[in-house]
Amino acid sequence: MSAWTPELEERARLMVSRYPEPRSALGPLLYLAMRRDGYLTEEGMRRVADLTGATPAQVRGVATFYTMCKLSPPGRYLISICTSISCHLLRGREVLAAVEEETGVLDGHTGEDGLFSVEHVECIGACAGAPALQVNYELVEGVTP
């Protein structure tokens, strides 16, 4: 993709100005870069590094730590299955296996046709409705295999 638009640059600089330390804006800037391209490109992560004074390796370290940061284009439907303790105790792993079987896509992958991406994630804040998953970040509670 081409360089960031002047509008995106302005928004990014405004984000950085809201923090006492530029590196504190790293998370919001990664989200901004990801929204621009649909995932985090090398160019986007380099721009975040430039804006925050972090090294590209530090930016990549943050991006790879958080499951919501995508380093490759996700499928049209991103299915995120919670496997944290509440969901785990209520068959979350079985739900994950059922989603893998139904979609034909393994955890951590995107199908060849680009339709589905499947991933297990840590707590999505739906313990009372466990087991839970998200489809394109829309919450679905009380799911069964």
Side-chain angles (χ1 to χ4, degrees), residues 74-79 103 105 110-118 136:
R76 181 171 178 194
Y77 299 102
L78 172 62
I79 306 171
T103 62
V105 178
T110 298
E112 289 181 24
D113 60 2
L115 188 59
F116 296 109
S117 291
V118 175
N136 294 345

Side-chain angles (χ1 to χ4, degrees), residues 58-131:
Q58 290 168 324
V59 172
R60 179 173 280 286
V62 171
T64 57
F65 178 79
Y66 292 103
T67 59
M68 70 284 284
C69 292
K70 306 301 177 211
L71 299 179
S72 60
R76 181 171 178 194
Y77 299 102
L78 172 62
I79 306 171
S80 308
I81 300 93
C82 181
T83 55
S84 284
I85 190 67
S86 293
C87 291
H88 175 75
L89 291 172
L90 293 169
R91 303 173 59 202
R93 287 282 174 187
E94 291 177 42
V95 171
L96 174 59
V99 169
E100 289 176 321
E101 186 176 332
E102 185 66 27
T103 62
V105 178
L106 295 177
D107 178 23
H109 295 279
T110 298
E112 289 181 24
D113 60 2
L115 188 59
F116 296 109
S117 291
V118 175
E119 65 180 0
H120 78 276
V121 294
E122 291 303 314
C123 186
I124 57 176
C127 297

